[in-house]
Amino acid sequence: MTEYKKQYSYEEVVEKIENSRRFGKLPGVEVTRCMLAVLQEPQKGLPYIHVAGTNGKGSTCAFLSQIMKEAGLKVGCFTSPHLVDFRERICVNGKMIQKEDVTRIGNELLALEPDVTPTMFDYCLVMAVIYFQEQHCDVAVFETGLGGRLDATTAVENPAACVITSISLDHMQFLGNTVREIAGEKAGIIVPGVPVIYDGNDEDAAEVIAAKAKELGSPAYKVVQDGAKVLGNNKD
């Protein structure tokens, strides 16, 4: 464990994390990867589902978490942003992380001296990884923050499955000027041989995602809506 320089209260931990920079000079995946390395890779052995997309990420994470909970699994869920309480970002079986755990883990993270400057998102994500491992979660669900290929969540590595929800024009200054370009960034979460389930309603986005999955040898399942019906299991 890291030797603490100073012990902050819960309120101080949250304030310091929330006042961290929102965007860094390096891609989030590099910053988080560095933090995880300093902490001796706490993400190892944690099965998780990686969720990216423009719309529907949060609800998809909620649905997946509840389904797996009902199946008898202990499920960690990391989402952002929070609406009222900082602890909404990190839940296990629907229950928010305890304040004392935010305080304890937050102090450990704030005392780190990595060769990078973490953003708020980096701190929150690594806190979630540590907490899920401590809680002995059977599986976790991680929602990307921005894009996919360079997003901090991609540093967790080795997902059990990837999910890409509907894609439209968002964060164009970072991800690209067209749906195809943005889809390419979101498809960056796809891992060789790992199944990907994706929204196929936008033809341009679906084509990019299917091509990336084929390139990596990843089973791809397209979900499309036909009127009031949702059609799935269309393996490409």
Side-chain angles (χ1 to χ4, degrees), residues 123-177:
Y123 278 123
C124 294
L125 173 60
V126 176
M127 181 181 292
V129 170
I130 293 172
Y131 185 65
F132 294 159
Q133 288 284 35
E134 290 180 348
Q135 293 294 306
H136 304 292
C137 290
D138 297 305
V139 64
V141 180
F142 287 97
E143 176 189 3
T144 57
L146 176 64
R149 181 175 64 91
L150 300 177
D151 188 71
T153 54
T154 304
V156 181
E157 300 181 337
N158 302 317
C162 299
V163 178
I164 302 177
T165 64
S166 65
I167 294 175
S168 57
L169 298 177
D170 72 307
H171 297 292
M172 295 168 67
Q173 68 273 37
F174 301 110
L175 304 179
N177 295 316

Side-chain angles (χ1 to χ4, degrees), residues 1 8 24 38 46 49 59 92 97 129 134 136 162-163 171-172 176 200 230:
M1 297 288 289
Y8 298 109
V38 171
L46 177 65
I49 297 175
S59 56
V92 172
I97 183 173
V129 170
E134 290 180 348
H136 304 292
C162 299
V163 178
H171 297 292
M172 295 168 67
V230 175

Side-chain angles (χ1 to χ4, degrees), residues 213-234:
K214 183 176 181 180
E215 174 190 336
L216 297 177
S218 302
Y221 300 86
K222 180 169 63 176
V223 178
V224 297
Q225 186 168 355
D226 180 13
K229 298 180 180 179
V230 175
L231 308 177
N233 295 327
N234 298 310

Side-chain angles (χ1 to χ4, degrees), residues 7-214:
Q7 287 293 299
Y8 298 109
S9 67
Y10 169 78
E11 291 77 14
E12 290 172 328
V13 166
V14 172
E15 180 182 10
K16 285 186 172 294
I17 290 177
E18 289 187 331
N19 288 335
S20 300
R21 63 171 65 189
R22 295 305 172 109
F23 296 98
K25 295 180 180 179
L26 294 174
V29 62
E30 294 184 28
V31 177
T32 295
R33 189 173 285 148
C34 181
M35 293 179 70
L36 292 172
V38 171
L39 290 163
Q40 301 183 339
E41 311 292 350
Q43 80 281 13
K44 296 297 185 183
L46 177 65
Y48 77 102
I49 297 175
H50 202 177
V51 181
T54 303
N55 301 303
K57 297 193 301 293
S59 56
T60 297
C61 290
F63 292 145
L64 288 171
S65 297
Q66 187 63 29
I67 290 168
M68 291 188 289
K69 176 188 173 185
E70 292 299 321
L73 298 176
K74 192 171 187 178
V75 187
C77 185
F78 172 76
T79 57
S80 64
H82 63 273
L83 298 179
V84 178
D85 191 320
F86 174 86
R87 298 178 298 138
E88 295 169 20
R89 296 168 176 263
I90 303 170
C91 295
V92 172
N93 279 3
K95 296 182 179 180
M96 296 188 296
I97 183 173
Q98 295 294 309
K99 287 185 176 181
E100 52 264 37
D101 292 310
V102 172
T103 305
R104 174 178 52 81
I105 300 172
N107 271 291
E108 180 179 356
L109 297 181
L110 290 169
L112 289 179
E113 295 183 351
D115 295 328
V116 294
T117 303
T119 64
M120 175 186 180
F121 192 85
D122 299 313
Y123 278 123
C124 294
L125 173 60
V126 176
M127 181 181 292
V129 170
I130 293 172
Y131 185 65
F132 294 159
Q133 288 284 35
E134 290 180 348
Q135 293 294 306
H136 304 292
C137 290
D138 297 305
V139 64
V141 180
F142 287 97
E143 176 189 3
T144 57
L146 176 64
R149 181 175 64 91
L150 300 177
D151 188 71
T153 54
T154 304
V156 181
E157 300 181 337
N158 302 317
C162 299
V163 178
I164 302 177
T165 64
S166 65
I167 294 175
S168 57
L169 298 177
D170 72 307
H171 297 292
M172 295 168 67
Q173 68 273 37
F174 301 110
L175 304 179
N177 295 316
T178 67
V179 167
R180 294 185 70 88
E181 289 176 345
I182 293 171
E185 289 297 315
K186 311 250 186 210
I189 70 168
I190 301 175
V191 175
V194 174
V196 55
I197 302 92
Y198 66 98
D199 184 293
N201 290 291
D202 184 288
E203 292 184 4
D204 286 339
E207 185 177 303
V208 170
I209 295 167
K212 186 66 175 180
K214 183 176 181 180

